[in-house]
Amino acid sequence: MDIFSLALGGAVIGAAGFLAGRPRRGGRAHAAGIPSKATGLAEAMRKLAEGQPHVRLEPSAPGAESRIASNFNAMAQAIEAREATLHEAAQIDAETALLTRRALESMVNETRHDDAAFFVAAVRVERFTTLRQYIGYALASSVIRELGAHARSTIPGSCVGRLGTATIGIGFPAAHTAAAQALLEALHAGLHRQLDIGGHLLDVSVIIGFAATEGNRIGTAALIERAELAADQAEFSRSRLTMFRSDKFGDPSERLALMRDLRGSLLNGDIYLAYQPKLRARTDEIDGIEALIRWRHPSRGMIPPDQFIALAEETGEIRAVTEWVLRQAARDQARLAAAGLILTVYVNISGRLLGDSQFAGRALSLAENFVGALGFEITETSVIFDPEGALRDLTAFAAAGIRIAIDDYGSGWSSLTYLKKLPAHELKIDRMFISELTSSHRDPLLVRSTIDLAHALGMEVTAEGVEHAASLALLRVMGCDLIQGYLIAMPMPVSDLETFLIQRLHLNNIAGAVPTLSTPLANW
């Protein structure tokens, strides 16, 4: 009989004298026909390297061969134990005991069927980073664990896993979209309460994005990604529940291609700045312009700014885009100044950049390139992301002589507290209040009170979206300082702006005329 046998998957395979150079004493070769004395051990090592389970050497005689077999078996057992640990780590999130992203994807693959509607939801805890700073990592992980338990109890038969630091994923079947939405509404309502986490009562708010299968056309990984995109949009729009729509969000691969094209377009001239003049109401002089970014894509045509700016904010490219705008606006201001046109240039700053100390330092450095006055326009909700950091940066900008304008005032969560704290020089009333200024009963009252409030706080007021002479006349009566809109001029490239302003000055000098309400300035 052989010195020892190879046990594989419970079956014992003979392996004759495996020690190199050691001849067999008597007898014939094993019936399996092993040609080499080391073949048994080599075969076992090969199968172990391939990851085959339960590879063992079974000695049939005492001595050195038995010790080698025992050592090999111990090694094989240690490898299997380590692989089992790694497999479990790949399947179970250590902090929350929920499925990992990969495990959730596998389970959804097994659960969904092409002939039945299936949905994936991404449930995200808002302000999770701040919450974790206050209660610590362990309790913060307990919040995610509790969220997963609540999801399983609210949606029986669902697959639940952790998609990210603050997000869980839920895969579940439903008869139709309305039924899926009803389940998720119930999930959200059940979380609208204090959670008892480690004896601490915590107020936790969540937003939910979800996506539906479209037959077998959407893979599970793409379905999960769509749910996360919908959650991003829900967070951005302050909506508690948002469903992914391809016409609204676009194909992720297309978004990636668009982002790649954006970087190149900043260098090759496809992206440019258009400037919209701001008229001073009392003097009819244009003394300021707002820089607006435009993208003429070589194959897609004009891409709406809200589409690629939102994408840049989500991917972090907004910093590079804004720094490019500051460099280009400085060059354009110098060009206009060389033509005798002295104008304040206003640049829009994303709320995602406020509180970023590196960007603040870079912006202050780039501001030194402007030969004239510079202004930053921020939305009233910009300070929500990082109030302390935003106020710190805005104070630094104002101290450097940069005018701060609060853009789109009235369109978001207007707060008198922030209005009092912000070092702002100008308040821009959103166009939604200006468009029906002469036909609404309430809008004139709101606009007039806003103008009075801003003046009382030492700020000038700009009315956006002015398109009619009657609106301009009423705004003048109300004491509005600056006018911006198509009635004055549409946004235009710097070369057209230079021509427009020079012609306007030339006409005024020849005729000694002041533009009247019956002559829209955009026609000059």
Side-chain angles (χ1 to χ4, degrees), residues 35-251:
S36 169
K37 297 179 180 182
T39 300
L41 180 59
E43 181 72 3
M45 295 294 289
R46 182 186 68 78
K47 293 184 180 298
L48 187 65
E50 289 177 352
Q52 295 191 25
H54 310 303
V55 179
R56 298 289 186 274
L57 290 173
E58 184 175 321
S60 56
E65 293 86 354
S66 177
R67 289 193 297 273
I68 292 175
S70 296
N71 290 338
F72 175 85
N73 291 342
M75 178 184 69
Q77 289 175 336
I79 291 174
E80 289 173 3
R82 185 172 68 250
E83 287 184 346
T85 300
L86 292 173
H87 178 73
E88 182 179 354
Q91 299 294 312
I92 302 298
D93 178 65
E95 294 181 348
T96 62
L98 297 173
L99 295 175
T100 62
R101 186 187 187 97
R102 178 189 291 182
L104 177 64
E105 185 176 330
S106 298
M107 186 166 288
V108 168
N109 269 330
E110 296 173 2
T111 305
R112 59 181 287 195
H113 302 286
D114 295 342
D115 57 349
F118 196 88
F119 299 83
V120 169
V123 183
R124 183 174 303 157
V125 178
E126 295 188 284
R127 299 178 296 279
F128 184 76
T129 301
T130 302
L131 177 67
R132 189 169 57 187
Q133 289 174 346
Y134 280 108
I135 67 175
Y137 277 72
L139 288 181
S141 296
S142 297
V143 171
I144 302 299
R145 188 184 305 114
E146 176 66 22
L147 186 61
H150 182 71
R152 281 192 293 264
S153 63
T154 305
I155 309 177
S158 58
C159 316
V160 181
R162 191 175 191 178
L163 297 180
T165 303
T167 308
I168 68 166
I170 310 169
F172 61 99
H176 41 68
T177 299
Q181 186 162 343
L183 287 171
L184 295 175
E185 290 277 10
L187 174 64
H188 190 280
L191 291 170
H192 192 66
R193 58 181 173 83
Q194 287 187 321
L195 297 181
D196 186 348
I197 304 296
H200 302 276
L201 293 178
L202 302 176
D203 289 310
V204 177
S205 61
V206 301
I207 51 93
I208 303 175
F210 72 107
T213 56
E214 299 175 5
N216 59 357
R217 293 182 297 164
I218 306 299
T220 298
L223 188 63
I224 292 174
E225 186 178 49
R226 287 185 168 192
E228 290 178 301
L229 287 172
D232 291 341
Q233 185 61 27
E235 189 171 16
F236 184 77
S237 63
R238 309 298 299 172
S239 173
R240 70 178 187 277
L241 179 62
T242 298
M243 182 177 182
F244 178 89
R245 285 172 32 205
S246 56
D247 60 335
K248 183 177 181 180
F249 296 95
D251 181 21

Side-chain angles (χ1 to χ4, degrees), residues 17-39:
F18 62 91
L19 292 178
R22 176 167 179 167
R24 290 197 53 171
R25 295 182 179 178
R28 293 170 299 175
H30 193 274
I34 298 177
S36 169
K37 297 179 180 182
T39 300

Side-chain angles (χ1 to χ4, degrees), residues 140-447:
S141 296
S142 297
V143 171
I144 302 299
R145 188 184 305 114
E146 176 66 22
L147 186 61
H150 182 71
R152 281 192 293 264
S153 63
T154 305
I155 309 177
S158 58
C159 316
V160 181
R162 191 175 191 178
L163 297 180
T165 303
T167 308
I168 68 166
I170 310 169
F172 61 99
H176 41 68
T177 299
Q181 186 162 343
L183 287 171
L184 295 175
E185 290 277 10
L187 174 64
H188 190 280
L191 291 170
H192 192 66
R193 58 181 173 83
Q194 287 187 321
L195 297 181
D196 186 348
I197 304 296
H200 302 276
L201 293 178
L202 302 176
D203 289 310
V204 177
S205 61
V206 301
I207 51 93
I208 303 175
F210 72 107
T213 56
E214 299 175 5
N216 59 357
R217 293 182 297 164
I218 306 299
T220 298
L223 188 63
I224 292 174
E225 186 178 49
R226 287 185 168 192
E228 290 178 301
L229 287 172
D232 291 341
Q233 185 61 27
E235 189 171 16
F236 184 77
S237 63
R238 309 298 299 172
S239 173
R240 70 178 187 277
L241 179 62
T242 298
M243 182 177 182
F244 178 89
R245 285 172 32 205
S246 56
D247 60 335
K248 183 177 181 180
F249 296 95
D251 181 21
S253 62
E254 287 292 318
R255 291 158 61 89
L256 185 62
L258 194 65
M259 203 70 261
R260 183 183 61 247
D261 293 345
L262 175 65
R263 302 186 192 104
S265 295
L266 290 172
L267 302 174
N268 63 23
D270 290 336
I271 288 181
Y272 63 95
L273 293 181
Y275 295 91
Q276 188 170 37
K278 298 169 71 171
L279 177 78
R280 190 157 291 280
R282 290 186 178 180
T283 63
D284 284 310
E285 295 177 351
I286 292 175
D287 62 4
I289 50 176
E290 180 182 358
L292 301 167
I293 193 168
R294 296 290 184 263
W295 187 2
R296 184 183 290 108
H297 194 280
S299 60
R300 303 170 188 250
M302 294 299 296
I303 298 179
D306 57 351
Q307 181 178 343
F308 68 86
I309 291 298
L311 187 58
E313 288 181 326
E314 293 171 6
T315 59
E317 291 292 329
I318 190 63
R319 177 174 172 177
V321 170
T322 305
E323 290 180 3
W324 178 89
V325 171
L326 287 169
R327 288 191 294 268
Q328 186 60 48
R331 288 191 288 265
D332 291 342
Q333 187 187 55
R335 168 178 173 166
L336 295 171
L341 302 168
I342 308 303
L343 299 165
T344 300
V345 177
Y346 291 85
V347 172
N348 289 280
I349 304 296
S350 168
R352 300 296 178 92
L353 295 174
L354 293 178
D356 182 340
S357 57
Q358 289 186 340
F359 169 77
R362 183 63 178 154
L364 288 171
S365 176
L366 291 171
E368 297 176 1
N369 298 328
F370 285 77
V371 299
L374 170 65
F376 285 168
E377 295 195 2
I378 63 164
T379 62
E380 58 180 323
T381 56
S382 295
V383 296
I384 288 178
F385 297 106
D386 180 6
E388 293 183 3
L391 290 172
R392 181 195 64 233
D393 290 350
L394 292 173
T395 300
F397 295 151
I402 299 172
R403 287 179 58 86
I404 304 298
I406 301 175
D407 198 12
D408 300 333
Y409 183 78
S411 63
W413 299 274
S414 303
S415 170
L416 293 179
T417 300
Y418 286 137
L419 199 61
K420 181 180 68 173
K421 290 183 178 180
L422 292 177
H425 306 87
E426 181 182 328
L427 192 68
K428 300 187 71 175
I429 302 177
D430 188 72
R431 64 183 66 247
M432 65 183 291
F433 297 104
I434 304 301
S435 60
E436 298 182 4
L437 191 61
T438 57
S439 59
S440 168
H441 295 294
R442 291 187 174 184
D443 286 351
L445 296 174
L446 293 171
V447 171

Side-chain angles (χ1 to χ4, degrees), residues 427-492:
L427 192 68
K428 300 187 71 175
I429 302 177
D430 188 72
R431 64 183 66 247
M432 65 183 291
F433 297 104
I434 304 301
S435 60
E436 298 182 4
L437 191 61
T438 57
S439 59
S440 168
H441 295 294
R442 291 187 174 184
D443 286 351
L445 296 174
L446 293 171
V447 171
R448 179 58 185 267
S449 63
T450 301
I451 292 173
D452 292 341
L453 174 63
H455 286 168
L457 294 174
M459 290 185 282
E460 290 190 314
V461 178
T462 296
E464 295 185 285
V466 180
E467 299 182 2
H468 306 290
S471 297
L472 174 57
L474 186 55
L475 287 165
R476 278 186 164 134
V477 171
M478 291 179 176
C480 188
D481 303 288
L482 295 159
I483 308 297
Q484 186 177 355
Y486 287 178
L487 178 67
I488 311 305
M490 297 179 66
M492 63 190 86

